[in-house]
Amino acid sequence: MGDRIALAIAGEQVCLLADRALYWPSRRRLVIADLHLGKGSVLREGGIAVPGGGTRADLSRLAALLATTGASSLWILGDFLHGPRSSRSDAAWHQFREAHAGIDVAVLPGNHDRAFDAHAAGVVALSEPVHDGPFRFSHMPPEHALPSDEHAIYGHLHPVIRLPGLGAPPLFWQRPVATVLPAFSLFTGGYRVHPAQARGSFACNGQQIVQIR
């Protein structure tokens, strides 16, 4: 038990991090999904009273992961934004981007990203899906069965698992030919995976990551 687990997926060494991210050492790439920048602002503007600071907290976590892994690139697999851009979330992102100007950042837009502007965000926009090595990166699950030599990595579902005494922690859901990433944003709901379907997957709580057996 620790804050990371190294394993081979489709013949490639990767590291699953307890704070909801995947690191691919051979590419020096940190991969997350479902950042949902500005979700609190969107809800407050809609009349729902929620606390502020969520976007900055998530970006602080992301900065820490970039530092601890030594990643030279960051890929965000969809839902970079939660809804319309806001001055507050734009300012937080631009501050983060300036602090990490040497990091190559790419975003694969998701279903929440109607207001996404790659140029304004200072990132590269990717088109779904992206193939690199044995991996097929996307935001949404593949619509068709994949070849046996291909492994999908995607987000969107926000998988969690109910564990006695531990609530419903986020889950790296390991499927036969796919890894479903947990939502990176702390301020998200989740799709509850039945324990029988989660065997071999990895639950995480920010500090620790453990395999479901």
Side-chain angles (χ1 to χ4, degrees), residues 45-182:
E45 289 173 6
I48 301 173
V50 296
T55 287
R56 291 191 181 276
D58 286 339
L59 293 178
S60 177
R61 293 168 47 230
L62 187 52
L65 289 171
L66 289 171
T68 57
T69 59
S72 61
S73 71
L74 167 66
W75 279 19
I76 301 171
L77 304 185
D79 291 354
F80 173 75
L81 300 172
H82 182 73
R85 291 169 54 193
S86 71
S87 58
R88 179 177 292 184
S89 59
D90 274 359
W93 174 256
H94 289 146
Q95 183 178 14
F96 171 87
R97 194 71 191 95
E98 289 171 7
H100 301 87
I103 302 293
D104 295 325
V105 181
V107 173
L108 201 161
N111 55 296
H112 278 266
D113 286 321
R114 290 178 290 277
F116 171 66
D117 182 329
H119 178 73
V123 305
V124 172
L126 302 174
S127 297
E128 183 167 321
V130 179
H131 294 86
D132 190 4
F135 299 132
R136 177 195 188 275
F137 294 96
S138 64
H139 175 62
M140 304 290 286
E143 295 182 355
H144 306 289
L146 299 182
S148 59
D149 60 348
E150 197 168 271
H151 187 91
I153 297 177
Y154 57 91
H156 182 63
L157 299 181
H158 304 188
V160 300
I161 183 169
R162 175 68 65 181
L163 296 175
L166 297 175
L171 187 72
F172 289 91
W173 190 11
Q174 301 299 125
R175 313 201 71 185
V177 291
T179 296
V180 187
L181 300 182

